[in-house]
Amino acid sequence: MTPFQVNAIIYLALLNALTLLIMGFDKRQASSMKQRVSEKTILFLCLLFGSFGVYIGVLLFRHKTKKKRFVYGLPPLMLLQSVVIIYYVF
C-alpha cells in the first residue's frame, strides 16, 4: 500500500469514529435537554467523508430518524463517497 492509501484509510477510520461519537453525544444531549451539536456541523462532517459514522449513529442511537436529510440523504451520499473512495484509494 502506498502512503496515500494508508493515510486515507486512517483519515476515514478516525473521521467516521468521531462522527459516530458525535451522534451519540448529541443524542445524550437531546435526552438531557442540553446544548446540542448543530445539524450544520454534522452535515459538514458528512461531506468530509464522515457519512458512514453518522449513518451508523442514526441506526444505532435512533437519532435524527425523523430528519429527511439524514434518513434519505445519507444513503446516496454514502454511495457516491464509496465510489470516490474505491476509485482514489483502492
Side-chain angles (χ1 to χ4, degrees):
M1 290 178 85
T2 68
F4 171 77
Q5 291 172 318
V6 172
N7 289 335
I9 291 169
I10 291 170
Y11 169 79
L12 291 169
L14 291 176
L15 180 62
N16 283 285
L18 175 67
T19 56
L20 178 61
L21 290 173
I22 287 173
M23 289 295 285
F25 174 77
D26 192 48
K27 176 65 174 190
R28 185 186 316 160
Q29 294 295 91
S31 300
S32 305
M33 304 289 266
K34 294 182 180 176
Q35 186 174 0
R36 312 229 347 243
V37 179
S38 71
E39 281 190 20
K40 287 182 182 180
T41 301
I42 295 171
L43 291 172
F44 179 71
L45 291 170
C46 286
L47 291 176
L48 296 177
F49 287 80
S51 59
F52 296 95
V54 171
Y55 193 69
I56 292 170
V58 168
L59 299 175
L60 185 64
F61 302 116
R62 294 183 182 217
H63 188 47
K64 304 279 186 197
T65 56
K66 294 182 180 179
K67 301 284 183 173
K68 290 183 181 181
R69 290 179 186 159
F70 290 93
V71 176
Y72 300 114
L74 280 179
L77 179 62
M78 290 169 40
L79 180 63
L80 176 65
Q81 288 179 350
S82 296
V83 170
V84 170
I85 290 167
I86 290 168
Y87 183 79
Y88 285 106
V89 177
F90 300 105

